[in-house]
Amino acid sequence: MPHRPVPARQDRRVRAARLFAATAGGLVLGALLLGTAAPAQAAAPERSAPRAAVRAETPATVTVTGSGSATAAPDLAILSVGVEAAKATAKEAMAAQTTAAEALLAVLRKEGIEDRDIRTDSLSLAPVYTQAAGGQSKVSGYQASQAFSVKVRRIDRAGQVIGAVNDATGDAGRVNGVVFDVADPKELRAKAREAAYRDAYEKASQHARLSGHRLGRLVSLSEGESLRPGHGALPSMPSDEPSVPLAPGEIEEQVSVSAVFELL
């Protein structure tokens, strides 16, 4: 039977039907593949979360207190001197006190004391009371006084300065005391600080040995207030001699520290 040509319209319909069938088949196959893969994905174990880093154990520590001291010969004398006057009126008392203070300052400068080393510590004017026969107190006069702090940088002349002050001021003069010190305490304090640290380190080392450890690094270090106990203070004293004998002795500086060390 001879082959009859297919009309163009019918040919287009045939090709469209074939394409639709192929596409539908691919969709069905894809759905089947997805269906089989889902259970496998569901059954796969979840990836475990990373473990948290284990915190290092806090090391043992030892806390110690160290103390150290250092001594040096003083190179400075600080005098506390002044004048005092009592008169019937306040004006007279202040005038007498002023005259005595001027004499004191003049003799200090004559002794080679510089103005920067002379300081007024106090100035006062107060009434003086007496007890009346009837038990009442009344003002019988006024007392004026002034005190000075004087640095004598040549301590071998401190006694001479005190005697000169007393001669110049007479009965109005007052010597309230003297303190010996070092003009620059940095070096003395540094030596005391070094001794305090060595003391703390030796104590910490001993604690480490006793506890079966080795001494580790220094964790913290703090310094307490430095002290100078009893550094040459003398009480108030009268003087009728041109020069007063003095004994400077030594100046002691004390330092304390608190230290924390690791124990290994």
Side-chain angles (χ1 to χ4, degrees):
M1 184 174 181
H3 177 73
R4 298 176 60 184
V6 181
R9 182 177 298 178
Q10 184 176 359
D11 182 60
R12 286 196 300 271
R13 288 177 180 175
V14 171
R15 286 199 302 270
R18 290 176 180 174
L19 178 62
F20 176 77
T23 302
L27 291 175
V28 171
L29 179 60
L32 290 175
L33 292 174
L34 288 174
T36 57
Q41 291 177 354
E46 296 182 357
R47 181 177 297 177
S48 59
R51 293 183 179 181
V54 179
R55 296 184 60 183
E57 184 179 354
T58 303
T61 60
V62 58
T63 303
V64 292
T65 300
S67 58
S69 63
T71 59
D75 57 8
L76 181 68
I78 304 174
L79 310 181
S80 177
V81 295
V83 293
E84 187 176 280
K87 297 295 180 179
T89 65
K91 184 176 181 180
E92 291 174 339
M94 284 298 296
Q97 182 275 139
T98 299
T99 300
E102 290 174 347
L104 186 151
L105 294 175
V107 76
L108 288 177
R109 296 186 180 103
K110 184 179 179 180
E111 291 294 325
I113 308 300
E114 299 182 15
D115 288 344
R116 67 187 178 99
D117 292 330
I118 305 172
R119 183 188 68 207
T120 297
D121 283 342
S122 64
L123 175 65
S124 66
L125 174 65
V128 178
Y129 294 92
T130 57
Q131 197 76 18
Q136 296 179 348
S137 60
K138 65 175 183 178
V139 176
S140 60
Y142 289 85
Q143 180 173 286
S145 63
Q146 186 170 184
F148 298 88
S149 176
V150 182
K151 291 182 179 180
V152 182
R153 298 186 183 274
R154 289 182 54 187
I155 62 173
D156 59 326
R157 300 185 65 250
Q160 179 180 333
V161 172
I162 292 175
V165 167
N166 188 72
D167 287 343
T169 56
D171 292 339
R174 299 290 183 272
V175 179
N176 300 315
V178 58
V179 171
F180 295 102
D181 206 345
V182 288
D184 187 2
K186 292 180 181 178
E187 183 178 354
L188 187 62
R189 188 171 298 129
K191 291 180 179 179
R193 183 180 296 118
E194 183 178 349
Y197 180 80
R198 285 199 305 265
D199 182 51
Y201 185 85
E202 290 171 1
K203 289 179 179 177
S205 299
Q206 183 181 18
H207 281 296
R209 290 193 304 270
L210 294 174
S211 59
H213 290 83
R214 290 183 295 107
L215 193 64
R217 68 182 183 90
L218 176 67
V219 178
S220 67
L221 179 69
S222 61
E223 181 177 329
E225 184 179 0
S226 61
L227 301 173
R228 289 187 214 167
H231 54 295
L234 296 179
S236 175
M237 54 186 163
S239 173
D240 296 328
E241 299 295 331
S243 179
V244 178
L246 299 174
E250 282 188 330
I251 303 301
E252 182 184 25
E253 185 89 10
Q254 294 182 354
V255 172
S256 63
V257 296
S258 179
V260 180
F261 291 89
E262 280 187 355
L263 294 177
L264 305 178

